[in-house]
Amino acid sequence: MHRTHDLEIFPEYTVTQLLFKDLKNAAELRKMAVNGEIKGALINPTMIVDAFQILVAANKAVHLHKNGKMKTRSLYSEIIFNLSPTNNISEAFKRFGISDSDNAVYIVLVHNKEETLNVDDIISKVDGQQIDVDQVSELTDAAIVKKLYKVAPMEERCGSLLDAVVCRMATKDVA
Amino acid sequence: MEEADVLRKQVPSYLAEAQMIKQGAEARVYRGRFLGRSVIIKERFPKLYRHPSVDEKLTRRRTAQEVRSILRCRRAGINAPVVYFVDYNYHCIFLEDIVHSVSVRDYIVPVQATVQGTEHLQTLADKIGEILAQMHDEDVIHGDLTTSNMLLLAKAEHKNINLVLIDFGLSYISALTEDKGVDLYVLEKAFLSTHPNTETLFDRLLKSYTASSKKAPAVIKKLDEVRLRGRKRSMVG
């Protein structure tokens, strides 16, 4: 049920996405991510409009990682940071990372093609119901996303909320 | 394996696979796939005739400016391609591919010949005037307004004209009526030379422009001035 996607610019990398609802062990998962037991980004799905948003963040993270220009310490924290419209790292984690009380989680894994990825191992650690990543739209809190990314109704005339969000993520270093 | 080596080849080898659709003096434009979508990639290649450090600085600034103007337009509800990714190493911008579209240039030519053409073109001219006024209200100067840099989206409902502005490569931010006047002057020159006998149509565009913004009359006044002296301001005195 997870989704994998190759990065066209970095063909040796694959991004795997998993989505869980009715999550019961958010605090435990967060701890595992912090001490490296889970090698992945744990994201708050209410801030995610579409799987494409995740891919844009992951692609940028890999790009910055390979160039040694990451703003945070790891590839996974960089994915979370890239989702945020601001350059404030702690705020990015607060908004886009998961909190101990969350009841859903979006997990993003980036791996080299040569490595074998044990998805089942990750799935076994999550106490929740896995759903298709496309169902993230059911968990999105559009009002908060619009507020955080400062998307005015005007902008939605020329495109979707996803367009607005992705455009800001891609241009935040110069805008 | 040295990581830096692998990295150097990444974007160039990606572009080698992509289909080049245009080559200009400033950049090359490709069509390719990115994160599962069809995209347009604009690559500002190194200019060997410039000193490398000057080249790097100019190219970086222009790439950033292009991206900034696009975002500014979109924020104001003016349709321009979504930016998906910017690579400042190779100065590549990955943009939304505007599918099912035709450039205003290609649209005008056949329609002009038809009987009901005039009415269609008038509606289009009104729309262009309105959008350019909105853009100038945001202080975005496009810098290269031509009918080739405006796309018409083919939509089921023909009533609403959906116009997309592209190629912000020469754009910048300015509140000066002078700059806005010159922007329109550039369009006028391009418009009338690409499409002969369209003076009345262009007048209609300017009327719509004037009616769409409070600041527009001052710009039109400036345009009259620019027409007399050309695009470059007199540097005498």
Side-chain angles (χ1 to χ4, degrees):
Chain A
M1 207 186 265
H2 57 276
R3 170 137 354 138
T4 62
H5 199 290
D6 297 346
L7 298 176
E8 290 91 339
I9 307 177
F10 313 100
E12 72 276 25
Y13 283 96
T14 302
V15 178
T16 298
Q17 310 180 52
L18 307 99
L19 181 60
F20 297 89
K21 65 173 188 178
D22 301 328
L23 180 72
K24 297 201 177 56
N25 62 341
E28 199 187 332
L29 287 179
R30 208 174 63 84
K31 218 166 274 162
M32 284 193 252
V34 170
N35 61 33
E37 273 177 73
I38 293 181
K39 289 191 171 57
L42 305 182
I43 293 161
N44 173 5
T46 60
M47 302 303 297
I48 304 304
V49 181
D50 189 280
F52 185 69
Q53 184 185 352
I54 296 284
L55 287 176
V56 169
N59 177 76
K60 189 172 173 185
V62 171
H63 165 76
L64 295 172
H65 175 67
K66 296 195 72 92
N67 286 286
K69 291 207 173 128
M70 290 204 299
K71 295 260 177 19
T72 62
R73 273 197 234 161
S74 80
L75 187 61
Y76 297 115
S77 52
E78 196 70 14
I79 294 176
I80 296 175
F81 176 67
N82 287 343
L83 287 167
S84 170
T86 71
N87 282 314
N88 184 328
I89 297 176
S90 64
E91 194 189 305
F93 280 109
K94 208 174 92 195
R95 301 279 187 188
F96 293 86
I98 62 161
S99 315
D100 291 350
S101 58
D102 281 0
N103 51 20
V105 64
Y106 204 126
I107 304 183
V108 187
L109 313 160
V110 178
H111 48 105
N112 207 302
K113 283 239 180 69
E114 290 152 23
E115 301 166 353
T116 47
L117 172 78
N118 198 344
V119 182
D120 294 334
D121 185 46
I122 302 265
I123 295 173
S124 69
K125 289 187 172 118
V126 184
D127 183 2
Q129 190 198 341
Q130 193 181 3
I131 54 174
D132 193 278
V133 290
D134 282 334
Q135 284 177 271
V136 73
S137 57
E138 293 162 23
L139 305 173
T140 313
D141 189 333
I144 293 192
V145 172
K146 280 179 204 172
K147 195 174 156 206
L148 204 64
Y149 284 95
K150 297 198 178 77
V151 180
M154 196 77 123
E155 184 167 353
E156 287 186 85
R157 284 197 323 205
C158 69
S160 62
L161 178 59
L162 175 65
D163 289 340
V165 165
V166 164
C167 215
R168 277 170 181 68
M169 284 166 50
T171 61
K172 85 165 172 181
D173 11 31
V174 292
Chain B
M1 190 166 46
E2 188 57 58
E3 260 208 23
D5 266 358
V6 182
L7 148 80
R8 302 241 177 280
K9 294 187 191 86
Q10 225 107 50
V11 168
S13 67
Y14 169 80
L15 288 178
E17 302 265 307
Q19 173 203 7
M20 187 164 85
I21 49 179
K22 221 154 226 171
Q23 151 103 51
E26 170 80 7
R28 279 188 279 263
V29 176
Y30 302 83
R31 179 173 276 125
R33 302 289 298 174
F34 176 72
L35 307 178
R37 296 191 178 199
S38 173
V39 291
I40 296 293
I41 307 119
K42 180 165 181 177
E43 179 205 20
R44 284 190 161 76
F45 47 82
K47 315 297 180 297
L48 298 172
Y49 51 83
R50 286 197 291 238
H51 187 282
S53 62
V54 175
D55 183 48
E56 165 72 22
K57 221 176 189 167
L58 276 175
T59 310
R60 180 175 291 260
R61 191 186 301 158
R62 286 176 188 173
T63 306
Q65 194 51 54
E66 177 162 7
V67 160
R68 250 181 236 131
S69 298
I70 291 179
L71 185 64
R72 202 163 171 138
C73 278
R74 290 193 60 90
R75 275 213 188 108
I78 301 159
N79 212 342
V82 181
V83 181
Y84 291 144
F85 175 56
V86 187
D87 182 329
Y88 289 102
N89 286 327
Y90 293 101
H91 309 291
C92 289
I93 307 178
F94 290 67
L95 296 158
E96 172 191 13
D97 185 9
I98 312 289
V99 289
H100 307 301
S101 66
V102 55
S103 74
V104 168
R105 178 198 172 124
D106 292 343
Y107 176 80
I108 289 181
V109 176
V111 172
Q112 216 181 349
T114 64
V115 188
Q116 347 73 312
T118 328
E119 203 182 311
H120 281 279
L121 291 182
Q122 282 177 349
T123 330
L124 176 62
D126 288 347
K127 186 71 188 177
I128 296 174
E130 185 192 321
I131 286 184
L132 295 185
Q134 277 174 23
M135 184 184 81
H136 282 171
D137 272 351
E138 296 298 319
D139 294 336
V140 174
I141 312 298
H142 185 283
D144 190 18
L145 287 174
T146 62
T147 46
S148 304
N149 284 339
M150 301 170 187
L151 302 182
L152 266 179
L153 274 184
K155 274 270 173 73
E157 69 275 32
H158 276 284
K159 262 189 159 179
N160 288 331
I161 298 179
N162 217 332
L163 202 69
V164 186
L165 298 181
I166 59 163
D167 193 359
F168 287 80
L170 294 174
S171 68
Y172 56 100
I173 310 291
S174 164
L176 298 178
T177 46
E178 164 77 21
D179 294 330
K180 295 175 188 177
V182 170
D183 214 20
L184 291 181
Y185 179 71
V186 169
L187 175 65
E188 184 175 57
K189 284 274 173 196
F191 200 104
L192 298 180
S193 63
T194 325
H195 311 288
N197 311 316
T198 50
E199 283 78 5
T200 46
L201 191 65
F202 195 78
D203 275 345
R204 176 128 184 174
L205 189 158
L206 290 182
K207 280 210 181 69
S208 159
Y209 178 91
T210 316
S212 303
S213 162
K214 263 190 275 174
K215 295 178 197 159
V219 178
I220 298 293
K221 217 175 136 207
K222 206 74 183 172
L223 172 63
D224 291 334
E225 245 174 70
V226 178
R227 277 194 192 117
L228 294 175
R229 62 164 154 88
R231 188 167 64 85
K232 297 281 183 198
R233 234 188 300 198
S234 166
M235 289 302 169
V236 184

